[in-house]
Amino acid sequence: MKPKIFITQPVGASAIERLRAVADVEVNPDTLHKVTKDELLAKIPQLDIIYCLLHDKIDADIIAAGKRLRAIASMKITPSDIDVPAATARKIPVTVIAPIVTEATADIHFALLLAVARRVVEGDQLLRTGVFPGAQSAHLLGAWVHGKTIGLIGGGGRIGKAVAKRAQGFSMKTLYWTPRRKPESEEKEAGIQYVPYDQLLKESDFVSVHAPLNAETRHLVGERELGLMKPTAYLVNSSRGPIVDEKALVRALKERRIAGAGLDVYENEPLVEPELIKMKNVVLTPHLGSAVTELRESMANVVADNIIAVLEGRQPPNCWNPEIYKA
């Protein structure tokens, strides 16, 4: 009997084809339906492998119900929302993908920056209602991007540096802050200038969030930090939602203490603060950082590599808890 794999939403077709050659594969076909905990609890007793995505939560209850479970194969860079200790206790490998989403995330980040600064969404919506204000109308005046200052919070990492490269194309001055400053040679190569956190907030025309989410960075951008920003400045976040205090952001936007925001991630995904949805000076996308056809195909095949290794009795190449393989 072939091992059974369940994939929680459609992924790259080439990866599914590879997996079907070695296993009985079921795929939730609905790209809008997130599999519920009850649905997973009903399925997992019959599964050898669960192939899960960024939005899926695989908790201790689900792992305990997976009596046949041989691996939890995630299409995430880190296994957030997976109870790794519970899996490790049963010697179930938890696999992830390599950090290959850098360029795609930097693309969506800069797209949000441009869209909110130049009021692209407002213009699109206006035109669709049949209104064309005129080629030199002042109706949708926006902010200049070229030559402005961008400040990268946690900007010494891969995605921050990729955004800095894009900023160079707009002749922007690029500041960055991180708790551990990078070597001078690395700063020079990336074209970034280190400044203290408060200085970055005060001087930047675009405050760009790239910090990882942990206990220290939760609400790293809150009431105080938003209060330091220029009233003409924009906040852009494609990192992790809880880094920004959304309620504080709503207040800053309503009181016009900052000019606008571009957001791809949210504090309580999939929920978004209702006030943000109403605001014209906010551009919102539903966590599209890696949503590029070619990239998602590659990501799916990395997961397939991990699964095939498990089925062949090998340690998977991207195992988060490799200690389970020690004698």
Side-chain angles (χ1 to χ4, degrees), residues 16 21 23 50 76 105 116 118 126 146 150 169 183 188 200 222 227 233 237 258-259 278 290 311:
I16 295 174
I50 177 80
K76 310 177 189 182
T105 304
V116 70
R118 295 303 306 271
L126 194 65
H146 183 270
I150 184 170
K188 185 175 181 180
L200 179 147
N237 186 13
I258 66 171
K278 299 174 186 176
S290 68
L311 295 180

PDB file of all heavy atoms in Angstrom, residues 16 21 23 50 76 105 116 118 126 146 150 169 183 188 200 222 227 233 237 258-259 278 290 311:
ATOM      1  N   ILE A  16       3.556  17.936  -7.171  1.00  0.00           N
ATOM      2  CA  ILE A  16       2.483  16.957  -6.945  1.00  0.00           C
ATOM      3  C   ILE A  16       2.707  15.716  -7.803  1.00  0.00           C
ATOM      4  O   ILE A  16       2.535  14.579  -7.341  1.00  0.00           O
ATOM      5  CB  ILE A  16       1.109  17.592  -7.226  1.00  0.00           C
ATOM      6  CG1 ILE A  16       0.825  18.723  -6.221  1.00  0.00           C
ATOM      7  CG2 ILE A  16       0.002  16.544  -7.155  1.00  0.00           C
ATOM      8  CD1 ILE A  16      -0.443  19.504  -6.503  1.00  0.00           C
ATOM      9  N   ALA A  21       4.075   9.814  -7.831  1.00  0.00           N
ATOM     10  CA  ALA A  21       4.832   8.654  -8.312  1.00  0.00           C
ATOM     11  C   ALA A  21       5.226   7.722  -7.175  1.00  0.00           C
ATOM     12  O   ALA A  21       5.534   6.536  -7.409  1.00  0.00           O
ATOM     13  CB  ALA A  21       6.083   9.117  -9.050  1.00  0.00           C
ATOM     14  N   ALA A  23       3.479   7.995  -3.831  1.00  0.00           N
ATOM     15  CA  ALA A  23       2.498   7.996  -2.744  1.00  0.00           C
ATOM     16  C   ALA A  23       1.093   8.240  -3.273  1.00  0.00           C
ATOM     17  O   ALA A  23       0.901   8.672  -4.417  1.00  0.00           O
ATOM     18  CB  ALA A  23       2.868   9.074  -1.720  1.00  0.00           C
ATOM     19  N   ILE A  50       1.771  14.997   6.261  1.00  0.00           N
ATOM     20  CA  ILE A  50       0.941  16.190   6.089  1.00  0.00           C
ATOM     21  C   ILE A  50       1.821  17.268   5.467  1.00  0.00           C
ATOM     22  O   ILE A  50       2.899  17.573   5.974  1.00  0.00           O
ATOM     23  CB  ILE A  50       0.321  16.666   7.419  1.00  0.00           C
ATOM     24  CG1 ILE A  50      -0.476  17.954   7.226  1.00  0.00           C
ATOM     25  CG2 ILE A  50       1.356  16.863   8.519  1.00  0.00           C
ATOM     26  CD1 ILE A  50      -1.838  17.771   6.674  1.00  0.00           C
ATOM     27  N   LYS A  76       7.223  26.488   4.729  1.00  0.00           N
ATOM     28  CA  LYS A  76       7.633  27.707   5.420  1.00  0.00           C
ATOM     29  C   LYS A  76       9.145  27.680   5.613  1.00  0.00           C
ATOM     30  O   LYS A  76       9.765  26.612   5.606  1.00  0.00           O
ATOM     31  CB  LYS A  76       6.984  27.805   6.802  1.00  0.00           C
ATOM     32  CG  LYS A  76       5.493  27.589   6.863  1.00  0.00           C
ATOM     33  CD  LYS A  76       5.030  27.653   8.314  1.00  0.00           C
ATOM     34  CE  LYS A  76       3.573  27.230   8.446  1.00  0.00           C
ATOM     35  NZ  LYS A  76       3.100  27.332   9.831  1.00  0.00           N
ATOM     36  N   THR A 105       9.765  38.734  -2.247  1.00  0.00           N
ATOM     37  CA  THR A 105       9.264  39.555  -1.139  1.00  0.00           C
ATOM     38  C   THR A 105       9.721  41.000  -1.294  1.00  0.00           C
ATOM     39  O   THR A 105       8.950  41.936  -1.031  1.00  0.00           O
ATOM     40  CB  THR A 105       9.736  38.981   0.208  1.00  0.00           C
ATOM     41  OG1 THR A 105       9.320  37.618   0.304  1.00  0.00           O
ATOM     42  CG2 THR A 105       9.145  39.757   1.365  1.00  0.00           C
ATOM     43  N   VAL A 116       1.384  53.051  -2.535  1.00  0.00           N
ATOM     44  CA  VAL A 116       0.810  53.966  -1.538  1.00  0.00           C
ATOM     45  C   VAL A 116       1.319  55.393  -1.745  1.00  0.00           C
ATOM     46  O   VAL A 116       0.568  56.362  -1.571  1.00  0.00           O
ATOM     47  CB  VAL A 116       1.083  53.459  -0.104  1.00  0.00           C
ATOM     48  CG1 VAL A 116       2.548  53.562   0.295  1.00  0.00           C
ATOM     49  CG2 VAL A 116       0.201  54.206   0.897  1.00  0.00           C
ATOM     50  N   ARG A 118       2.235  56.829  -4.627  1.00  0.00           N
ATOM     51  CA  ARG A 118       1.694  57.424  -5.848  1.00  0.00           C
ATOM     52  C   ARG A 118       0.185  57.188  -6.016  1.00  0.00           C
ATOM     53  O   ARG A 118      -0.377  57.473  -7.065  1.00  0.00           O
ATOM     54  CB  ARG A 118       2.455  56.893  -7.066  1.00  0.00           C
ATOM     55  CG  ARG A 118       3.932  57.319  -7.092  1.00  0.00           C
ATOM     56  CD  ARG A 118       4.111  58.839  -7.060  1.00  0.00           C
ATOM     57  NE  ARG A 118       3.361  59.484  -8.098  1.00  0.00           N
ATOM     58  CZ  ARG A 118       3.830  59.710  -9.330  1.00  0.00           C
ATOM     59  NH1 ARG A 118       5.054  59.317  -9.652  1.00  0.00           N
ATOM     60  NH2 ARG A 118       3.074  60.307 -10.228  1.00  0.00           N
ATOM     61  N   LEU A 126     -10.784  54.897  -9.083  1.00  0.00           N
ATOM     62  CA  LEU A 126     -11.467  56.073  -9.623  1.00  0.00           C
ATOM     63  C   LEU A 126     -11.760  55.892 -11.110  1.00  0.00           C
ATOM     64  O   LEU A 126     -12.874  56.155 -11.583  1.00  0.00           O
ATOM     65  CB  LEU A 126     -10.589  57.314  -9.409  1.00  0.00           C
ATOM     66  CG  LEU A 126     -11.257  58.678  -9.593  1.00  0.00           C
ATOM     67  CD1 LEU A 126     -12.329  58.903  -8.529  1.00  0.00           C
ATOM     68  CD2 LEU A 126     -10.214  59.786  -9.521  1.00  0.00           C
ATOM     69  N   HIS A 146      11.665  59.001  -5.747  1.00  0.00           N
ATOM     70  CA  HIS A 146      13.036  59.208  -6.214  1.00  0.00           C
ATOM     71  C   HIS A 146      13.763  60.200  -5.307  1.00  0.00           C
ATOM     72  O   HIS A 146      13.266  61.289  -5.003  1.00  0.00           O
ATOM     73  CB  HIS A 146      13.023  59.751  -7.644  1.00  0.00           C
ATOM     74  CG  HIS A 146      14.386  59.935  -8.230  1.00  0.00           C
ATOM     75  ND1 HIS A 146      15.090  61.118  -8.114  1.00  0.00           N
ATOM     76  CD2 HIS A 146      15.188  59.083  -8.923  1.00  0.00           C
ATOM     77  CE1 HIS A 146      16.250  60.991  -8.716  1.00  0.00           C
ATOM     78  NE2 HIS A 146      16.331  59.771  -9.220  1.00  0.00           N
ATOM     79  N   ILE A 150      14.833  56.089   2.688  1.00  0.00           N
ATOM     80  CA  ILE A 150      14.153  54.893   3.163  1.00  0.00           C
ATOM     81  C   ILE A 150      14.919  54.363   4.368  1.00  0.00           C
ATOM     82  O   ILE A 150      16.152  54.312   4.359  1.00  0.00           O
ATOM     83  CB  ILE A 150      14.033  53.826   2.055  1.00  0.00           C
ATOM     84  CG1 ILE A 150      13.232  52.617   2.542  1.00  0.00           C
ATOM     85  CG2 ILE A 150      15.383  53.399   1.521  1.00  0.00           C
ATOM     86  CD1 ILE A 150      12.867  51.628   1.436  1.00  0.00           C
ATOM     87  N   GLY A 169      18.049  52.069  -7.292  1.00  0.00           N
ATOM     88  CA  GLY A 169      17.531  52.423  -8.613  1.00  0.00           C
ATOM     89  C   GLY A 169      16.699  53.681  -8.606  1.00  0.00           C
ATOM     90  O   GLY A 169      16.475  54.292  -9.664  1.00  0.00           O
ATOM     91  N   PRO A 183      29.100  44.455   9.658  1.00  0.00           N
ATOM     92  CA  PRO A 183      30.451  44.975   9.397  1.00  0.00           C
ATOM     93  C   PRO A 183      30.403  46.091   8.348  1.00  0.00           C
ATOM     94  O   PRO A 183      29.546  46.096   7.467  1.00  0.00           O
ATOM     95  CB  PRO A 183      31.200  43.754   8.874  1.00  0.00           C
ATOM     96  CG  PRO A 183      30.434  42.580   9.378  1.00  0.00           C
ATOM     97  CD  PRO A 183      29.002  43.010   9.429  1.00  0.00           C
ATOM     98  N   LYS A 188      28.809  48.784   3.154  1.00  0.00           N
ATOM     99  CA  LYS A 188      29.230  49.459   1.926  1.00  0.00           C
ATOM    100  C   LYS A 188      28.757  48.699   0.699  1.00  0.00           C
ATOM    101  O   LYS A 188      28.258  49.293  -0.268  1.00  0.00           O
ATOM    102  CB  LYS A 188      30.753  49.597   1.922  1.00  0.00           C
ATOM    103  CG  LYS A 188      31.294  50.405   0.746  1.00  0.00           C
ATOM    104  CD  LYS A 188      32.803  50.603   0.867  1.00  0.00           C
ATOM    105  CE  LYS A 188      33.333  51.431  -0.297  1.00  0.00           C
ATOM    106  NZ  LYS A 188      34.811  51.630  -0.193  1.00  0.00           N
ATOM    107  N   LEU A 200      16.477  56.814  12.680  1.00  0.00           N
ATOM    108  CA  LEU A 200      15.893  56.250  11.458  1.00  0.00           C
ATOM    109  C   LEU A 200      14.430  56.661  11.331  1.00  0.00           C
ATOM    110  O   LEU A 200      13.967  57.084  10.263  1.00  0.00           O
ATOM    111  CB  LEU A 200      16.032  54.726  11.475  1.00  0.00           C
ATOM    112  CG  LEU A 200      15.446  53.953  10.287  1.00  0.00           C
ATOM    113  CD1 LEU A 200      16.290  52.710  10.008  1.00  0.00           C
ATOM    114  CD2 LEU A 200      14.002  53.540  10.514  1.00  0.00           C
ATOM    115  N   GLY A 222       5.273  50.836  17.460  1.00  0.00           N
ATOM    116  CA  GLY A 222       4.063  51.118  18.224  1.00  0.00           C
ATOM    117  C   GLY A 222       3.795  52.608  18.327  1.00  0.00           C
ATOM    118  O   GLY A 222       4.276  53.402  17.513  1.00  0.00           O
ATOM    119  N   GLY A 227       4.972  57.957  16.528  1.00  0.00           N
ATOM    120  CA  GLY A 227       5.014  59.375  16.894  1.00  0.00           C
ATOM    121  C   GLY A 227       6.305  60.058  16.495  1.00  0.00           C
ATOM    122  O   GLY A 227       6.342  61.292  16.373  1.00  0.00           O
ATOM    123  N   ALA A 233       5.590  60.800   6.172  1.00  0.00           N
ATOM    124  CA  ALA A 233       6.244  59.511   5.970  1.00  0.00           C
ATOM    125  C   ALA A 233       5.231  58.374   5.837  1.00  0.00           C
ATOM    126  O   ALA A 233       4.090  58.474   6.300  1.00  0.00           O
ATOM    127  CB  ALA A 233       7.192  59.219   7.132  1.00  0.00           C
ATOM    128  N   ASN A 237       5.243  47.352   5.448  1.00  0.00           N
ATOM    129  CA  ASN A 237       5.572  46.117   6.172  1.00  0.00           C
ATOM    130  C   ASN A 237       5.227  44.889   5.339  1.00  0.00           C
ATOM    131  O   ASN A 237       4.069  44.659   4.994  1.00  0.00           O
ATOM    132  CB  ASN A 237       4.809  46.057   7.504  1.00  0.00           C
ATOM    133  CG  ASN A 237       5.228  44.864   8.352  1.00  0.00           C
ATOM    134  OD1 ASN A 237       6.234  44.216   8.085  1.00  0.00           O
ATOM    135  ND2 ASN A 237       4.455  44.578   9.391  1.00  0.00           N
ATOM    136  N   ILE A 258       1.055  60.198  10.366  1.00  0.00           N
ATOM    137  CA  ILE A 258       1.858  59.704   9.254  1.00  0.00           C
ATOM    138  C   ILE A 258       0.980  59.760   8.000  1.00  0.00           C
ATOM    139  O   ILE A 258      -0.253  59.858   8.094  1.00  0.00           O
ATOM    140  CB  ILE A 258       2.416  58.287   9.484  1.00  0.00           C
ATOM    141  CG1 ILE A 258       1.300  57.246   9.537  1.00  0.00           C
ATOM    142  CG2 ILE A 258       3.268  58.230  10.741  1.00  0.00           C
ATOM    143  CD1 ILE A 258       1.824  55.806   9.556  1.00  0.00           C
ATOM    144  N   ALA A 259       1.625  59.677   6.831  1.00  0.00           N
ATOM    145  CA  ALA A 259       0.888  59.916   5.581  1.00  0.00           C
ATOM    146  C   ALA A 259       0.139  58.690   5.076  1.00  0.00           C
ATOM    147  O   ALA A 259      -0.889  58.819   4.405  1.00  0.00           O
ATOM    148  CB  ALA A 259       1.855  60.407   4.504  1.00  0.00           C
ATOM    149  N   LYS A 278     -10.905  50.610   5.522  1.00  0.00           N
ATOM    150  CA  LYS A 278     -11.674  51.782   5.108  1.00  0.00           C
ATOM    151  C   LYS A 278     -10.794  52.926   4.593  1.00  0.00           C
ATOM    152  O   LYS A 278     -11.293  53.849   3.952  1.00  0.00           O
ATOM    153  CB  LYS A 278     -12.505  52.312   6.282  1.00  0.00           C
ATOM    154  CG  LYS A 278     -13.526  51.331   6.826  1.00  0.00           C
ATOM    155  CD  LYS A 278     -14.190  51.914   8.074  1.00  0.00           C
ATOM    156  CE  LYS A 278     -15.114  50.921   8.762  1.00  0.00           C
ATOM    157  NZ  LYS A 278     -15.667  51.482  10.019  1.00  0.00           N
ATOM    158  N   SER A 290       5.541  35.658  -1.414  1.00  0.00           N
ATOM    159  CA  SER A 290       6.132  34.612  -2.265  1.00  0.00           C
ATOM    160  C   SER A 290       5.222  34.213  -3.423  1.00  0.00           C
ATOM    161  O   SER A 290       5.482  33.208  -4.098  1.00  0.00           O
ATOM    162  CB  SER A 290       6.442  33.362  -1.429  1.00  0.00           C
ATOM    163  OG  SER A 290       5.249  32.739  -0.987  1.00  0.00           O
ATOM    164  N   LEU A 311      10.336   9.235   2.894  1.00  0.00           N
ATOM    165  CA  LEU A 311       9.770   7.979   2.408  1.00  0.00           C
ATOM    166  C   LEU A 311      10.844   6.971   2.038  1.00  0.00           C
ATOM    167  O   LEU A 311      10.619   5.753   2.090  1.00  0.00           O
ATOM    168  CB  LEU A 311       8.857   8.246   1.201  1.00  0.00           C
ATOM    169  CG  LEU A 311       7.596   9.082   1.490  1.00  0.00           C
ATOM    170  CD1 LEU A 311       6.788   9.275   0.221  1.00  0.00           C
ATOM    171  CD2 LEU A 311       6.749   8.436   2.582  1.00  0.00           C
TER     172      LEU A 311
END
